[in-house]
Amino acid sequence: MATTAELFEEPFVADEYIERLVWRTPGGGSRGGPEAFDPKRLLEEFVNHIQELQIMDERIQRKVEKLEQQCQKEAKEFAKKVQELQKSNQIKEAADIIQKLHLIAQELPFDRFSEVKSKIASKYHDLECQLIQEFTSAQRRGEISRMREVAAVLLHFKGYSHCVDVYIKQCQEGAYLRNDIFEDAGILCQRVNKQVGDIFSNPETVLAKLIQNVFEIKLQSFVKEQLEECRKSDAEQYLKNLYDLYTRTTNLSSKLMEFNLGTDKQTFLSKLIKSIFISHLENYIEVETGYLKSRSAMILQRYYDSKNHQKRSIGTGGIQDLKERIRQRTNLPLGPSIDTHGETFLSQEVVVNLLQETKQAFERCHRLSDPSDLPRNAFRIFTILVEFLCIEHIDYALETGLAGIPSSDSRNANLYFLDVVQQANTIFHLFDKQFNDHLMPLISSSPKLSECLQKKKEIIEQMEMKLDTGIDRTLNCMIGQMKHILAAEQKKTDFKPEDENNVLIQYTNACVKVCAYVRKQVEKIKNSMDGKNVDTVLMELGVRFHRLIYEHLQQYSYSCMGGMLAICDVAEYRKCAKDFKIPMVLHLFDTLHALCNLLVVAPDNLKQVCSGEQLANLDKNILHSFVQLRADYRSARLARHFS
């Protein structure tokens, strides 16, 4: 069976089409004779082809309609473009004409040509408004080329700046949809920076005007809203917000520095930032210092309240200064001793909180202060730190600790001042670190540097003087405690027993208790101090310890066995002195041990021993004084060896 498509291969003629269809249909023509003719089949073939022709007609009709619509649309668009082009050319021509007329009208006398001048001015204004409206519509449609054309025409009109204003206003429509206005502003300026050069002949001026508009209107109102609500009610939040907003504004400014904004963009952006924050930066340091003082006072008060401690007044002035000088020179406790129950009244948590508040204040000061005011403002913050950390906390603890040191003749005294020393040293390190890390960079190139260093030096010297006084009095208390032990435990019969033959040669009970006490104090000193301070204090304690034992041994008379026992005691004291790890202290006890040998050496060998290596350099009176302690001094006529 022939297909409809095959029958359409040649130019279409109806009669020929029917004949071709009959000829191609089996049983439809004269082929095969009359017997082969099949009218039913031919009819069926005609019906099928008629249906196919109808379907084909419908398809062709739809294509025709679609093509007609497309042609109509393209015709309209073409007509519109032609119209716009004509309109554009007309506007340009009209703008050119009205510009020339406007210039001519300026030269015409007003009294004779007032009506003409008025009509020209009206037409000038109407055309200007028409151009601005055309620019506005083109911007909304996103037609950059059209915007460029209109802007170029408007460039010669007085209303050109209004065209720029319209552009800036429409640029910002829908630009602030996020929660971060600074990020939105940065994205907006970046987008406009890419576009503005394709529209205006002076893109840097337009971009600068946009940025000025963003800063003076959008950002300024946002900053005012964020700061005004907490300015009077919450100084802490106000300072945090001010620092955050100023930082984000300057960060935005840094990003905008990448764009072409004209000649001196640094000054331009700085002025914009200043215009936003000027009212807040003028008195910033007053707010900062006021807040820091109240916050620091609250931190300290909260700590003392937690200890149920009412701070006592530490007097100043003539009488107190006189007492302090007397105490430092005589080491006498003036006034009753205060029982602190082991409390040092120093808190590392308090110190960390004070330093953290001050650190944040230094950071804000660095960011928010004018460069010319920075060193002075930083110094004010430093003085507040000195007041509350060094004076109100550390110095108060030292004064309280000094007042808590018992007199040197107190029995079973609890010595807590070394705990004060330990904590004070730790705090000094933290204070010094903040001074170097956070204050020094702010004042390093200003006259305030020497002032801060001097103030720090004075504070540390005052603290060290009080620490030295407290350590000295504490050492006196330790020696006093050893005296009590020796007085209570040492018997005269220890060194001059009634039965010389029934003596167990070992150290005395007094020696055991004194050595146990000394070792405990040495360990405490090592834990309380660091560096050379440990050696200095241990040397002082060692010298006093030696003097105490030396003077203690001078009080007794020694038999031969008693002298042996004294040598054993001194040997134990010497072993204890080794724990000091101070060569001078060990040398003193070595010499004392050699002196004790004079208590037991045979009279005939006394002169030889006195000239021995360890004793040869000692004063003869010292050697004689030890020999005089022997029970046989008179009977053996030992004085002759020193005459």
Side-chain angles (χ1 to χ4, degrees), residues 266-357:
Q266 177 70 55
T267 304
F268 169 69
L269 292 169
S270 296
K271 285 182 178 178
L272 290 179
I273 295 173
K274 189 175 182 179
S275 68
I276 295 176
F277 292 97
I278 183 68
S279 63
H280 301 281
L281 298 182
E282 283 178 337
N283 66 336
Y284 148 72
I285 195 61
E286 303 303 329
V287 180
E288 184 71 81
T289 52
Y291 165 72
L292 188 59
K293 284 180 181 178
S294 63
R295 178 67 177 170
S296 300
M298 187 197 75
I299 290 171
L300 289 178
Q301 191 58 50
R302 193 163 55 192
Y303 167 71
Y304 295 120
D305 289 345
S306 72
K307 298 292 181 181
N308 293 319
H309 176 72
Q310 180 67 42
K311 283 187 77 175
R312 67 189 187 91
S313 176
I314 298 174
T316 57
I319 296 176
Q320 184 64 25
D321 290 344
L322 178 61
K323 283 184 176 182
E324 183 61 27
R325 285 198 295 271
I326 293 172
R327 184 175 69 182
Q328 289 171 12
R329 292 183 182 182
T330 64
N331 211 15
L332 294 174
L334 301 178
S337 173
I338 296 174
D339 188 358
T340 60
H341 303 287
E343 180 59 62
T344 64
F345 293 107
L346 284 173
S347 166
Q348 195 158 333
E349 181 183 354
V350 166
V351 172
V352 168
N353 287 339
L354 289 174
L355 291 175
Q356 181 63 21
E357 291 291 341

Side-chain angles (χ1 to χ4, degrees), residues 249-259 269 273:
T249 304
T250 52
N251 289 343
L252 174 61
S253 173
S254 298
K255 292 179 182 177
L256 299 179
M257 283 289 291
E258 301 171 6
F259 305 146
L269 292 169
I273 295 173

Side-chain angles (χ1 to χ4, degrees), residues 192-255:
V192 171
N193 180 59
K194 293 177 180 178
Q195 183 186 80
V196 71
D198 296 332
I199 300 171
F200 297 98
S201 59
N202 54 339
E204 67 282 352
T205 305
V206 176
L207 183 58
K209 195 169 184 179
L210 167 68
I211 291 171
Q212 184 176 357
N213 183 274
V214 169
F215 271 70
E216 292 181 350
I217 297 176
K218 204 69 183 178
L219 294 186
Q220 187 152 18
S221 61
F222 178 76
V223 168
K224 183 178 180 181
E225 178 187 346
Q226 293 292 309
L227 293 179
E228 288 301 326
E229 61 184 25
C230 60
R231 187 170 192 170
K232 295 180 180 179
S233 60
D234 190 344
E236 179 182 13
Q237 193 59 50
Y238 170 76
L239 288 169
K240 286 181 178 177
N241 287 357
L242 178 59
Y243 176 77
D244 178 62
L245 291 168
Y246 190 84
T247 301
R248 292 164 73 188
T249 304
T250 52
N251 289 343
L252 174 61
S253 173
S254 298
K255 292 179 182 177

Side-chain angles (χ1 to χ4, degrees), residues 11 76 122 127 158 175 220 229 299 354 360 370 442 583 586:
K76 287 180 181 178
S122 176
L127 183 58
K158 293 179 180 179
Q220 187 152 18
E229 61 184 25
I299 290 171
L354 289 174
Q360 292 172 355
D370 187 270
L442 309 185
L586 186 58

Side-chain angles (χ1 to χ4, degrees), residues 12-19:
F12 183 77
V13 179
D15 292 340
E16 292 179 1
Y17 172 75
I18 292 171
E19 284 188 14

Side-chain angles (χ1 to χ4, degrees), residues 508-557:
T508 64
N509 192 48
C511 174
V512 172
K513 290 192 175 181
V514 167
C515 287
Y517 179 80
V518 170
R519 287 190 174 98
K520 184 178 178 182
Q521 302 313 312
V522 169
E523 189 64 27
K524 196 165 188 179
I525 289 170
K526 288 181 178 178
N527 290 335
S528 301
M529 300 175 199
D530 54 12
K532 294 181 179 179
N533 293 331
V534 178
D535 292 345
T536 303
V537 174
L538 285 179
M539 178 180 286
E540 184 62 30
L541 176 62
V543 169
R544 296 186 192 190
F545 175 37
H546 168 267
R547 186 185 308 124
L548 171 68
I549 300 303
Y550 179 89
E551 292 173 352
H552 174 70
L553 293 173
Q554 293 276 329
Q555 300 174 24
Y556 298 93
S557 177

